[in-house]
C-alpha cells in the first residue's frame, strides 16, 4: 500500500523504475486517504505487460512444440532451450522497460515479442523444409535486437533531444543509403544493390535510414511547421509555402528516393515516400502535400517503367504471372497456391510445403503463414499488426508536443505501410517487392531496426504519460540538458 504524502512532509526523490510517491489522482484525494498499490499507473501498466508477455510466450512456445511434433511424436529436445531463451529475453526486456520507461504503453513489447516469436517458428519451419539453419542466426539477431532496444531506452532519456540533431539525421540518412553503392563495400542480392558487407557481417543500411529519416522530419517540421502551414506562393493550381522553407525537406527526401531508385529498391522508395507525405500532412494539415506526393509517385513510376527493365518485369509479373509461370511468375504463383491451400484453418504447422516457394523465409513468409495457419492464423497476425499500429498512433495523438506527435506517427507509419506493401504484394494487390514483414521475416537488419523503433515508441509513450501524470508541460527541445534529465 502506498500512503499519500502528508502536508509538510519532506519530499522523497523519485527513483526510475519504481512507483512515484505522488499518485496520478492525488490532487483529488482527501488528506490521509490511502492509495492502493494496484491502482498506481506504474503498477497497472507493468502488470498488464507481464500478463500479455505470458500470453505471448504461451502462444509462441505452443506453436514451436506443435511444429516439432509434426516431425517427431516426441517433444523436440530443443524446445526447452528455445523456450528458456525466449523467456529470458522477455523477462529481461520487461525489467528494462520497468526500470527505464515504467509508464510506457504495456501492449507494444508483448506484441513485438509475439510477432518475433512467431517469425522464429516460421523460419524454423522453412529450415525443416529446406535443410537450412536460418533460425539460429535469427535467434542471435533477436538477442542483438533486444540489446539495442535496451541501449535506446537507457541512452535516449528524452526523445526531444533527438530534434536537436535533425540535420545530422538527414545527412546520416543519405550516407546510409549511399553505402551499398560504394565499390567493394556494397553487394547486390537478387538484382537490388541494398547490402553492405563488412568482414563476415552483412547488413542493410536502408533499415536504419528509415528511422533517421523520421528523426529528421520530426525535428525539421517541428521548427518549420507554422511556416509550412501558410501558403504564400501559387504553383499552377496549388498554393505552396515559401520554397526556402520547403526546399530542404523536398531535397532531402528527393535525394533519398533517387538513391533507392538507383539501387532498384522500389519497395523502400514507396515506404519512404509514404512516411514523408504522412508526416508532412500531420505537421501542416494541408491536403495538397498528399496529393503532390501521390502525383509525384505516379509520375515517377511511369518514368521508371520506361527507363528500367526490372520495373517493367515487376509490373508484367503482377498483371499476368501466368505469362511465364515457370520463371518470372513462379514465386508469386507459388505464394498464391500456398495461400489457397491453407484455406480457412490451414494445413497445420509443419504440414505445408514452403520449400516450393522461392525466398520463403524473407520476401514471402506471409504465404508460409497463410498455408500452415490458414486465413484465421493470417488474420490473427494482421490483427496483431493492427493493434501495434493503433497503439502507435494513439501515442502520437496523445503526445503533448509536435516532436512526440511527428516521431510517433512517423515510426508507426513505417510499420503499417511496410506490412501493407509486403502483404499486398504477396496477395497480388500491388506488385511484389523485396521488403520484409516486420518482426516476422528472416533478416537481422530488419529485426534490429524494428526493435529500435519499438524502443523509441515506448520512450515517447513513457514521457507523455509521465507529463500527464505530473500535470506538467513538456520541455522545449532547446532546454538545457541538465534541466531535462530525469
Amino acid at each position: 500500500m502506498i500512503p499519500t504524502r502528508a502536508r509538510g512532509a519532506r519530499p522523497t526523490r523519485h527513483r526510475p523504475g519504481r512507483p512515484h510517491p505522488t499518485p496520478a489522482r492525488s490532487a483529488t484525494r482527501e488528506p490521509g486517504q490511502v492509495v492502493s498499490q494496484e491502482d498506481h499507473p506504474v503498477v497497472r501498466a507493468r502488470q498488464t505487460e507481464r500478463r500479455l508477455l505470458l500470453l505471448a510466450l504461451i502462444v509462441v512456445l505452443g506453436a514451436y512444440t506443435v511444429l516439432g511434433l509434426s516431425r517427431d511424436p516426441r517433444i523436440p529436445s530443443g524446445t526447452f532451450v528455445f523456450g528458456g531463451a525466449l523467456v529470458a529475453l522477455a523477462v529481461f526486456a520487461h525489467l528494462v522497460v520497468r526500470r527505464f520507461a515504467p509508464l510506457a504503453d504495456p501492449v507494444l513489447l508483448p506484441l513485438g515479442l509475439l510477432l518475433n516469436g512467431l517469425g522464429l517458428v516460421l523460419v524454423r519451419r522453412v529450415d525443416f523444409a529446406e535443410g537450412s539453419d536460418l533460425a539460429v542466426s535469427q535467434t542471435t539477431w533477436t538477442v542483438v535486437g533486444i540489446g539495442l532496444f535496451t541501449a535506446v531506452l537507457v541512452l535516449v532519456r528524452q526523445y526531444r533531444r533527438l530534434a536537436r540533431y535533425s540535420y545530422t539525421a538527414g545527412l546520416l540518412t543519405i550516407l546510409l543509403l549511399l553505402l551499398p553503392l560504394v565499390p567493394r563495400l556494397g553487394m547486390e542480392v537478387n538484382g537490388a544493390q541494398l547490402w553492405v558487407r563488412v568482414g563476415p557481417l552483412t547488413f542493410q543500411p536502408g533499415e536504419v535510414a528509415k528511422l533517421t529519416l523520421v528523426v529528421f522530419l520530426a525535428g525539421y517540421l517541428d521548427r518549420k511547421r507554422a511556416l509550412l502551414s501558410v501558403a504564400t506562393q501559387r504553383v499552377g493550381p496549388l498554393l505552396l509555402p515559401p520554397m526556402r522553407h520547403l526546399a530542404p525537406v523536398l531535397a532531402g527526401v528527393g535525394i533519398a528516393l533517387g538513391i533507392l531508385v538507383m539501387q532498384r529498391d522500389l519497395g523502400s522508395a514507396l515506404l519512404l515516400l509514404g512516411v514523408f507525405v504522412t508526416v508532412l500532412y500531420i505537421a501542416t494539415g494541408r491536403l495538397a502535400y498528399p496529393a503532390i506526393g501521390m502525383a509525384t509517385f505516379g509520375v515517377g513510376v511511369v518514368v521508371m517503367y520506361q527507363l528500367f527493365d526490372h520495373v517493367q518485369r515487376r509490373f508484367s509479373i503482377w498483371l499476368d504471372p501466368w505469362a511465364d509461370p515457370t520463371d518470372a511468375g513462379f514465386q508469386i504463383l507459388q505464394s498464391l497456391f500456398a495461400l489457397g491451400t491453407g484455406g480457412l484453418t490451414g494445413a497445420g504447422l509443419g504440414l505445408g510445403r514452403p520449400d516450393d516457394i522461392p525466398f520463403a523465409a524473407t520476401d514471402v513468409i506471409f504465404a508460409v503463414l497463410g498455408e500452415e495457419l490458414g486465413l484465421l492464423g493470417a488474420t490473427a497476425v494482421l490483427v496483431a499488426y493492427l493493434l501495434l499500429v493503433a497503439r502507435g498512433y494513439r501515442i502520437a495523438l496523445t503526445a503533448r508536443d509536435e516532436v512526440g506527435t511527428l516521431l510517433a506517427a512517423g515510426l508507426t507509419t513505417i510499420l503499417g505501410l511496410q506490412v501493407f506493401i509486403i502483404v499486398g504484394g504477396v496477395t497480388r494487390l500491388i506488385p511484389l517487392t523485396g521488403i520484409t514483414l516486420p518482426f516476422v521475416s528472416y533478416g537481422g537488419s530488419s529485426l534490429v531496426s524494428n526493435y529500435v523503433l519499438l524502443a523509441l515508441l515506448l520512450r515517447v509513450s513513457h514521457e507523455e504519460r509521465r507529463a500527464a501524470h505530473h500535470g506538467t508541460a513538456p520541455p522545449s527541445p532547446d532546454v538545457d540538458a541538465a534541466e531535462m534529465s530525469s
Side-chain angles (χ1 to χ4, degrees):
M1 306 293 282
I2 302 176
T4 54
R5 181 161 55 89
R7 179 178 299 177
R10 185 178 181 180
T12 57
R13 183 181 178 185
H14 172 58
R15 300 182 65 182
R18 297 187 177 181
H20 196 281
T22 305
R25 295 187 294 274
S26 59
T28 62
R29 294 193 185 97
E30 297 296 331
Q33 181 180 353
V34 177
V35 180
S36 171
Q37 175 85 24
E38 287 73 16
D39 288 340
H40 196 280
V42 173
V43 177
R44 287 204 310 272
R46 302 287 61 89
Q47 281 182 344
T48 303
E49 187 176 81
R50 281 200 301 271
R51 292 165 183 157
L52 292 176
L53 279 174
L54 178 62
L55 181 61
L57 289 172
I58 291 173
V59 172
V60 172
L61 295 181
Y64 187 83
T65 304
V66 170
L67 176 62
L69 292 175
S70 70
R71 295 173 53 86
D72 195 313
R74 296 171 299 180
I75 295 178
S77 57
T79 300
F80 297 104
V81 177
F82 174 76
L86 206 60
V87 170
L89 288 173
V91 170
F92 177 74
H94 170 71
L95 293 177
V96 168
V97 175
R98 181 180 178 81
R99 173 69 176 82
F100 295 100
L103 284 168
D105 189 298
V107 181
L108 295 181
L109 179 61
L111 284 174
L113 281 173
L114 172 66
L115 293 169
N116 185 189
L118 290 177
L120 285 170
V121 173
L122 293 174
V123 171
R124 189 62 175 161
R125 171 68 190 100
V126 176
D127 283 345
F128 286 157
E130 299 181 349
S132 56
D133 201 17
L134 300 177
V136 175
S137 175
Q138 188 73 345
T139 304
T140 304
W141 283 116
T142 300
V143 175
V144 176
I146 294 291
L148 286 180
F149 172 87
T150 302
V152 171
L153 285 179
V154 172
L155 298 177
V156 184
R157 297 297 186 93
Q158 294 283 346
Y159 68 82
R160 295 175 188 85
R161 293 180 182 174
L162 296 176
R164 300 177 182 176
Y165 307 104
S166 58
Y167 289 103
T168 304
L171 181 61
L172 186 60
T173 301
I174 295 174
L175 292 177
L176 285 170
L177 293 176
L178 282 173
L179 273 181
L181 299 178
V182 176
R184 298 186 179 180
L185 188 62
M187 55 183 293
E188 182 176 318
V189 177
N190 302 325
Q193 189 83 15
L194 304 175
W195 295 85
V196 167
R197 179 185 294 278
V198 180
L201 295 177
T202 59
F203 67 97
Q204 197 171 346
E207 293 291 340
V208 182
K210 63 187 183 184
L211 303 181
T212 55
L213 176 66
V214 172
V215 173
F216 162 68
L217 290 174
Y220 184 81
L221 294 177
D222 174 57
R223 299 188 188 94
K224 303 292 184 180
R225 183 185 64 82
L227 296 171
L228 293 175
S229 301
V230 179
T232 59
Q233 296 180 352
R234 179 175 291 279
V235 178
L238 300 174
L239 287 172
L240 297 176
M243 288 306 295
R244 67 177 181 276
H245 302 304
L246 188 60
V249 180
L250 295 179
V253 176
I255 293 172
L257 293 176
I259 294 170
L260 289 175
V261 171
M262 291 172 61
Q263 296 171 347
R264 302 183 176 187
D265 186 10
L266 300 182
S268 295
L270 176 60
L271 178 64
L272 291 190
L273 182 62
V275 172
F276 165 65
V277 170
T278 302
V279 174
L280 191 58
Y281 172 69
I282 292 174
T284 63
R286 293 180 57 81
L287 285 173
Y289 293 124
I292 294 174
M294 293 178 64
T296 303
F297 181 74
V299 172
V301 169
V302 172
V303 172
M304 286 189 292
Y305 184 84
Q306 299 296 330
L307 295 179
F308 301 115
D309 293 338
H310 72 281
V311 178
Q312 298 176 12
R313 182 180 172 89
R314 293 271 186 184
F315 273 85
S316 299
I317 295 171
W318 174 50
L319 294 173
D320 186 12
W322 288 103
D324 190 3
T326 59
D327 186 13
F330 185 73
Q331 185 186 35
I332 187 64
L333 287 176
Q334 290 299 319
S335 301
L336 295 174
F337 283 142
L339 291 173
T341 303
L344 181 62
T345 57
L349 272 173
L351 302 178
R353 300 183 61 179
D355 48 323
D356 289 344
I357 311 174
F359 306 107
T362 53
D363 297 356
V364 290
I365 199 166
F366 186 75
V368 178
L369 171 70
E371 181 180 18
E372 306 223 338
L373 297 181
L375 178 62
L376 294 179
T379 302
V381 170
L382 291 180
V383 168
Y385 280 118
L386 187 62
L387 287 173
L388 200 57
V389 171
R391 302 295 290 202
Y393 280 129
R394 184 173 181 270
I395 294 171
L397 287 172
T398 56
R400 307 178 86 193
D401 68 347
E402 291 295 333
V403 178
T405 297
L406 298 178
L407 188 62
L411 295 173
T412 305
T413 301
I414 288 176
L415 272 176
L417 198 54
Q418 196 164 337
V419 173
F420 170 76
I421 291 173
I422 188 61
V423 174
V426 172
T427 56
R428 213 176 145 220
L429 178 65
I430 60 175
L432 182 64
T433 61
I435 207 168
T436 57
L437 191 61
F439 289 107
V440 176
S441 291
Y442 171 77
S445 308
S446 173
L447 186 61
V448 168
S449 66
N450 284 320
Y451 268 114
V452 172
L453 184 154
L454 201 64
L456 290 174
L457 278 179
L458 287 172
R459 173 55 64 200
V460 177
S461 170
H462 166 73
E463 289 191 38
E464 300 311 328
R465 289 186 176 200
R466 186 178 63 173
H469 181 62
H470 293 287
T472 57
S476 164
D478 297 326
V479 172
D480 184 76
E483 299 176 3
M484 300 172 66
S485 63
S486 59

